[in-house]
């Protein structure tokens, strides 16, 4: 939503103010638009492999969606982790084997659809719970493994914003290319009347204008939105990591989830009493 609002403001600030003292039709040079967007698409394809292209196209809709990573989601996540760890503490590690092998049929996981909607998060959580069930673990080694997996996920998730940012960097240069092509065309028409030459020069300059506007007004903000969504999406793995590590180090479930609460952003972090009360309410 904010991306669309920003685009509208960009158009009003550029085309709107220009329309107050100029002719908008002078900016309508269809071949310049075709050339700019054609160069963008060609550069995007040439500069990336199939995996990066697929990841970028898949990631673009994220910029238009609201973030699911909010306080309500993290309260659900911490409550889910508390229930799992409380069951382990009360009945032993083997008691959660069925829950982690088939989360979709688990009475615990099914209570938190906001968490289970993200299969990557569920897979990350159940994989390490499965390792805990499997035998004695070295917490330092598991922490290192978690860090490497989170880093791998982080790098993969950054593919789309990185590619879009690279395209944004290239678009002003593409605008110059189109403008130079227009100037070359003008140089070949020096015998034309000044009015005709002026129109041709203006059309050539549209390429530079369009390249800069598209880059800094549209593509760069899109890359920024994707970057922010990726950063928000990485926090949930850190929460799971610190909670499970705290449990492995012998902390009680109430203390373990406090570790997770502490790593949240201040805007998404529930208060200690708020989280405690929420967990009590869910226990019935």
């Amino acid at each position: 939503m904010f991306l669309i609002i920003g685009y509208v403001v960009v158009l009003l600030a550029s085309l709107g103010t220009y329309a107050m003292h100029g002719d908008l039709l002078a900016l309508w040079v269809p071949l310049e638009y075709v050339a700019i967007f054609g160069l963008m698409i060609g550069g995007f394809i040439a500069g990336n492999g199939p995996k990066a292209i697929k990841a970028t196209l898949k990631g673009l809709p994220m910029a238009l969606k609201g973030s699911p990573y909010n306080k309500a989601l993290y309260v659900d996540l911490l409550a889910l982790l508390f229930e799992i760890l409380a069951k382990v503490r009360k009945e032993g590690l083997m008691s959660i084997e069925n829950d982690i092998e088939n989360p979709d049929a688990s009475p615990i996981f099914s209570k938190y659809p906001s968490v289970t909607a993200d299969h990557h998060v569920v897979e990350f959580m159940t994989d390490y719970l499965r390792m805990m069930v499997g035998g004695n673990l070295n917490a330092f080694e598991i922490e290192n493994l978690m860090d490497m997996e989170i880093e791998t996920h982080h790098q993969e998730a950054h593919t789309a914003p990185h590619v879009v940012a690279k395209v944004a960097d290239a678009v002003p240069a593409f605008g110059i290319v189109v403008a130079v092509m227009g100037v070359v065309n003008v140089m070949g028409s020096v015998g034309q009347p000044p009015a005709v030459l002026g129109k041709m020069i203006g059309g050539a300059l549209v390429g530079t204008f369009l390249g800069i506007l598209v880059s800094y007004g549209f593509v760069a903000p899109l890359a920024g939105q994707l970057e922010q969504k990726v950063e928000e999406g990485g926090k949930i793995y850190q929460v799971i990591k610190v909670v499970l590590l705290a449990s492995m180090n012998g902390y009680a479930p109430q203390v373990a989830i406090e570790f997770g609460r502490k790593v949240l952003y201040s805007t998404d972090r529930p208060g200690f009493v708020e989280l405690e009360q929420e967990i009590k309410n869910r226990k019935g």
Side-chain angles (χ1 to χ4, degrees):
M1 177 59 72
F2 284 101
L3 183 66
I4 300 299
I5 294 173
Y7 282 170
V8 171
V9 173
V10 167
L11 289 173
L12 290 176
S14 56
L15 301 183
T17 54
Y18 173 80
M20 297 177 66
H21 58 77
D23 183 8
L24 283 176
L25 289 177
L27 299 177
W28 179 242
V29 187
L31 291 180
E32 303 274 332
Y33 288 80
V34 172
I36 286 287
F37 287 103
L39 286 166
M40 282 176 56
I41 294 171
F44 167 66
I45 294 173
N48 299 284
K51 289 183 179 180
I53 292 174
K54 183 179 179 180
T56 303
L57 295 177
K58 184 179 179 180
L60 288 177
M62 290 172 49
L64 299 175
K65 298 179 181 178
S67 175
Y69 303 103
N70 50 37
K71 182 185 290 188
L73 173 65
Y74 287 118
V75 168
D76 282 348
L77 175 65
L78 293 171
L80 168 60
L81 288 167
F82 176 83
E83 283 202 44
I84 292 172
L85 297 180
K87 185 176 182 180
V88 168
R89 196 173 185 84
K90 182 179 180 181
E91 303 175 23
L93 278 168
M94 296 304 297
S95 66
I96 62 169
E97 186 174 13
N98 291 333
D99 295 302
I100 60 180
E101 291 300 334
N102 189 8
D104 293 334
S106 167
I108 297 179
F109 280 90
S110 61
K111 292 168 59 177
Y112 303 96
S114 62
V115 178
T116 56
D118 190 330
H119 71 276
H120 292 297
V121 169
V122 174
E123 183 179 6
F124 182 83
M125 188 188 313
T126 54
D127 280 351
Y128 288 101
L129 286 170
R130 188 178 295 111
M131 293 173 70
M132 291 170 64
V133 172
N136 294 327
L137 299 175
N138 185 311
F140 294 104
E141 293 178 356
I142 294 301
E143 181 177 8
N144 185 51
L145 180 59
M146 285 179 168
D147 287 338
M148 289 191 290
E149 183 173 353
I150 291 173
E151 178 62 24
T152 299
H153 177 271
H154 197 63
Q155 290 177 353
E156 289 179 340
H158 270 84
T159 299
H162 176 74
V163 169
V164 175
K166 287 293 185 182
V167 172
D169 292 340
V171 175
F174 291 152
I176 295 173
V177 170
V178 173
V180 170
M181 291 166 59
V183 171
V184 171
N185 186 41
V186 172
M187 293 295 99
S189 307
V190 291
Q192 297 293 329
V196 175
L197 290 175
K199 185 176 181 180
M200 294 177 68
I201 293 172
L205 292 176
V206 168
T208 303
F209 156 76
L210 188 62
I212 296 173
L213 177 64
V214 170
S215 173
Y216 297 107
F218 293 90
V219 185
L222 177 61
Q225 283 278 1
L226 292 173
E227 178 75 19
Q228 291 176 26
K229 295 294 173 61
V230 168
E231 292 298 327
E232 290 176 359
K235 180 59 67 175
I236 194 168
Y237 296 96
Q238 295 177 355
V239 173
I240 297 170
K241 168 193 163 183
V242 298
V243 171
L244 294 185
L245 287 174
S247 177
M248 289 173 59
N249 283 313
Y251 289 97
Q254 295 90 338
V255 179
I257 63 167
E258 180 64 11
F259 277 60
R261 188 185 73 85
K262 281 296 186 180
V263 303
L264 289 171
Y265 295 121
S266 59
T267 53
D268 301 324
R269 184 190 304 144
F272 175 82
V273 176
E274 178 184 2
L275 179 60
E276 185 179 40
Q277 188 61 48
E278 186 68 29
I279 289 175
K280 287 181 179 178
N281 292 339
R282 297 185 186 206
K283 288 170 65 178

